Amino acid sequence: METDQVDELRSAVQRLFRKLGTLGTDTTPCGQPLSLAHAHALLILQSRGALSQQDLGAELCIDKSNVARLCAKMVEAGHAQQRAGTEDRRSRVVSLTSTGQRLAREVNAASRQRFVALLSHVKASRRAGIVAGLNELISAIEASAGDQGRADE
């Protein structure tokens, strides 16, 4: 692997995260007054329906203590509700309240508007390639997560 390519990719991804505004903790990159994890949890629960905390944490790529805190904040804000799992009473199932559903629609609309604006600055002929490249990068991240697990053993 060429060092220049590694450094270029690393630098580009770091700049991407900074430019998208993902490092802020109080607002989403699309301007919603929520943490990024809270906004993503809303969108996941909106699209997939009720999930166990474990499944939500896996979707968000966060550990169980962080997902438990996130869910508690969402419940406190009136965006979600939790109940005991039907098969395992120790598990917690999270679902959106009507307020959470409404907020999820607002976050989704704001996010979509942000990405419409972003794509408007990219030549139409390059858009599909960018999406394909990002999907390939995500696949590489998923594959490397398995490699890291083996290296830690």
Side-chain angles (χ1 to χ4, degrees):
M1 182 86 40
E2 289 187 39
T3 301
D4 289 348
Q5 287 179 324
V6 170
D7 291 341
E8 284 179 44
L9 175 63
R10 188 175 72 134
S11 178
V13 170
Q14 289 169 346
R15 285 192 331 271
L16 175 67
F17 282 117
R18 289 191 297 263
K19 296 292 184 181
L20 282 174
T22 60
L23 301 180
T25 57
D26 296 337
T27 59
T28 64
C30 61
Q32 298 297 302
L34 302 166
S35 73
L36 196 54
H38 193 132
H40 277 259
L42 288 168
L43 296 176
I44 290 166
L45 291 169
Q46 178 191 40
S47 68
R48 302 235 353 244
L51 291 174
S52 69
Q53 277 190 4
Q54 182 179 3
D55 289 341
L56 181 59
E59 283 289 321
L60 292 168
C61 300
I62 60 176
D63 63 38
K64 66 180 174 178
S65 65
N66 282 319
V67 77
R69 278 194 297 277
L70 172 61
C71 289
K73 286 180 186 178
M74 292 177 71
V75 167
E76 184 179 320
H79 302 153
Q81 55 195 8
Q82 296 188 84
R83 62 177 166 72
T86 53
E87 293 178 20
D88 179 356
R89 305 291 295 165
R90 295 172 297 169
S91 72
R92 306 295 295 162
V93 176
V94 186
S95 60
L96 294 179
T97 62
S98 58
T99 302
Q101 287 282 356
R102 187 170 43 257
L103 182 57
R105 286 190 298 273
E106 291 171 13
V107 169
N108 195 30
S111 175
R112 190 169 199 301
Q113 184 177 7
R114 173 93 194 274
F115 281 90
V116 164
L118 285 174
L119 274 181
S120 74
H121 295 281
V122 175
K123 291 180 183 179
S125 63
R126 308 244 2 228
R127 293 175 187 165
I130 288 171
V131 172
L134 285 172
N135 282 324
E136 190 168 337
L137 184 59
I138 290 165
S139 293
I141 291 167
E142 291 169 345
S144 73
D147 294 344
Q148 288 175 352
R150 286 191 294 277
D152 291 343
E153 293 175 350

